[in-house]
Amino acid sequence: VASWGGDLLDRGILTVSLAPRDNHEAQVQFALERGIPAVLGIISTQRLPFPSNSFDMAHCSRCLIPWTEFGGVYLLEVHRILRPGGFWVLSGPPVNYENRWRGWNTTIEEQRSDYEKLQDLLTSMCFKLFNKKDDIAVWQKLSANSCYRKLDNPDTYPPKCDDGTEPDSAWYTPLRPCVVVPNPGAKKLKLNALAKWPERLHIAPERVSDVRGGSAGAFKHDDSKWKVRAKHYKKLLPAIGTDKIRNVMDMNTLYGGFAAALAEDPLWVMNVVSSYAANTLSVVYDRGLIGAFHDWCEAFSTYPRTYDLLHLDNLFTAESHRCEMKYVLLEMDRILRPNGYAIIRESSYFTDIVATMAKGMRWSCRQEDTEYAVQNEKILICQKTLWYSKESS
């Protein structure tokens, strides 16, 4: 139920907690009810919906995943999403097998073998043991190119990934039993090369230049623009910045500018980047924010009624040709908590259509001007009302 993520959140560290849908306990739902970032997900056959080299740390506690089975493919996915210099923390079996094996319904020889296999596999994919104490072991993903050069040997396992699959391709992309090697030319990708928090939030990341049309100048412009927009939103919706709104979803972010503008408020933002748009999610993570890839023609991997505020910036303008708006709005209604809010920023054409559809979902909406009162773009401030179906006779 993301207790560790909650503890880190109190320390100013944003954590994405991940758990599968559970028949007995809706763990992700409990986490979101507590106000802690979490998504439904599982490492099985597909890559997780995150770009490569993004997380500063990955952690697994007593998750009992067979890390060394199937060619180590699950651990290779952890390696892919972890930043060079980042940390992999594992607690539970087989760590501390010497003292714990009796309670694991196994033999000390089996557990020793499991731990040695795990250590060998991590070493082969350029991790080094950083620290170990009691039930917790910490490995660090190496950033030195010398280790990754050894993967060029054809007899090495796991091998280096070829260029057939983009390292950041993470939407319905099968897991691959190979090592995604960090770009040796990316000098500021490493954990120790990033600016400290919160300065990191407003410095143009190196990977912004990898985005089509992206540059440090475009990043700075976007950052300044969202500071003005967030100030305007707070006038239109004074609940932002109060204890009424704890979790926010920015449904089609570019660089996470809205989330950055709200960084000092008592809330967190899940930044969603369209699986059909340019990959700007790597920039979001380099800023120290969190997010996921998603296609809004499908349901988002969360429980119903779990977000306090949804923000949408010209999503219908960009993607209404791919699926009907009503389905996106119904998914928004599913995600949104009763009495929760939606800020819908669209062209006047779309705000009029959305306002009509919103009445059918029993949302209360009002149309407002943008911060510069341009005529061709409007803002809808909507609230999902709390209502109950009538009992059938």
Side-chain angles (χ1 to χ4, degrees):
V1 296
S3 294
W4 195 60
D7 183 75
L8 292 178
L9 197 60
D10 286 341
R11 301 165 189 260
I13 299 171
L14 278 170
T15 305
V16 180
S17 292
L18 188 79
R21 188 176 67 83
D22 193 303
N23 290 329
H24 307 291
E25 296 180 46
Q27 300 173 98
V28 167
Q29 188 175 25
F30 292 153
L32 289 163
E33 288 295 331
R34 299 174 72 189
I36 302 168
V39 292
L40 279 161
I42 187 169
I43 300 182
S44 59
T45 60
Q46 308 282 343
R47 281 180 172 178
L48 296 173
F50 312 118
S52 65
N53 307 303
S54 294
F55 288 91
D56 302 343
M57 178 166 67
H59 166 265
C60 203
S61 174
R62 295 192 62 79
C63 47
L64 305 179
I65 291 174
W67 296 112
T68 57
E69 300 298 317
F70 313 110
V73 71
Y74 305 139
L75 206 48
L76 286 162
E77 176 63 357
V78 172
H79 181 279
R80 183 187 72 86
I81 63 175
L82 198 60
R83 188 180 301 283
F87 297 99
W88 166 232
V89 184
L90 182 64
S91 65
V95 178
N96 200 17
Y97 68 88
E98 303 94 328
N99 300 310
R100 297 289 193 186
W101 67 272
R102 290 180 184 83
W104 295 343
N105 205 17
T106 181
T107 65
I108 191 169
E109 289 78 18
E110 284 180 14
Q111 286 300 308
R112 181 187 295 113
S113 174
D114 286 349
Y115 182 78
E116 288 173 354
K117 283 180 188 174
L118 178 66
Q119 179 61 47
D120 289 345
L121 181 61
L122 284 162
T123 301
S124 70
M125 60 177 74
C126 298
F127 278 102
K128 71 170 183 179
L129 185 63
F130 182 82
N131 210 338
K132 185 181 170 190
K133 184 178 180 182
D134 299 330
D135 296 345
I136 302 170
V138 182
W139 286 268
Q140 187 172 28
K141 179 178 173 179
L142 296 174
S143 53
N145 294 330
S146 55
C147 178
Y148 294 102
R149 285 196 208 101
K150 295 175 185 175
L151 302 178
D152 291 328
N153 188 326
D155 297 326
T156 301
Y157 190 88
K160 183 165 69 173
C161 287
D162 58 30
D163 295 329
T165 302
E166 171 70 33
D168 291 346
S169 176
W171 189 249
Y172 289 110
T173 302
L175 289 179
R176 303 178 68 207
C178 57
V179 180
V180 173
V181 177
N183 179 2
K187 305 298 182 187
K188 296 180 181 178
L189 193 60
K190 304 169 188 174
L191 184 60
N192 62 1
L194 291 169
K196 300 294 184 289
W197 180 268
E199 291 80 13
R200 171 180 178 178
L201 197 57
H202 301 291
I203 294 174
E206 185 179 29
R207 286 196 278 186
V208 74
S209 58
D210 296 337
V211 179
R212 186 175 66 252
S215 65
F219 175 88
K220 288 291 183 187
H221 174 73
D222 184 79
D223 196 40
S224 301
K225 175 181 76 177
W226 279 107
K227 287 177 183 175
V228 175
R229 287 185 173 186
K231 193 174 179 181
H232 183 62
Y233 287 171
K234 287 180 178 180
K235 289 179 182 176
L236 301 178
L237 187 58
I240 300 174
T242 71
D243 58 6
K244 291 181 180 178
I245 293 177
R246 177 59 174 156
N247 58 348
V248 179
M249 182 183 289
D250 194 1
M251 293 175 60
N252 61 322
T253 191
L254 181 61
Y255 299 130
F258 182 46
L262 300 178
E264 294 183 8
D265 292 317
L267 53 80
W268 56 267
V269 180
M270 177 63 69
N271 294 283
V272 180
V273 170
S274 170
S275 58
Y276 283 82
N279 170 30
T280 58
L281 193 55
S282 54
V283 176
V284 170
Y285 274 96
D286 288 349
R287 299 181 79 171
L289 301 169
I290 58 173
F293 292 117
H294 186 62
D295 174 4
W296 282 111
C297 294
E298 301 183 19
F300 191 83
S301 55
T302 190
Y303 282 86
R305 303 174 295 279
T306 43
Y307 278 84
D308 301 338
L309 172 64
L310 302 179
H311 174 256
L312 182 156
D313 178 22
N314 285 284
L315 175 65
F316 296 129
T317 301
E319 304 216 355
S320 60
H321 64 286
R322 294 184 43 249
C323 52
E324 290 188 57
M325 285 169 51
K326 65 181 178 185
Y327 296 121
V328 181
L329 285 166
L330 285 167
E331 176 62 0
M332 290 170 66
D333 184 71
R334 184 187 75 89
I335 292 172
L336 197 58
R337 198 183 300 281
N339 292 331
Y341 298 95
I343 300 176
I344 300 172
R345 187 186 188 101
E346 286 284 354
S347 66
S348 304
Y349 170 77
F350 279 111
T351 52
D352 290 342
I353 296 173
V354 170
T356 302
M357 290 185 178
K359 288 179 183 177
M361 299 191 300
R362 306 194 189 186
W363 285 14
S364 171
C365 296
R366 70 179 196 271
Q367 186 168 287
E368 301 282 358
D369 284 335
T370 61
E371 54 282 349
Y372 296 121
V374 293
Q375 289 303 308
N376 60 348
E377 188 178 48
K378 296 293 180 182
I379 297 171
L380 274 183
I381 305 291
C382 298
Q383 185 172 30
K384 176 180 174 178
T385 58
L386 178 60
W387 58 275
Y388 301 91
S389 60
K390 295 177 181 176
E391 290 185 15
S392 57
S393 57

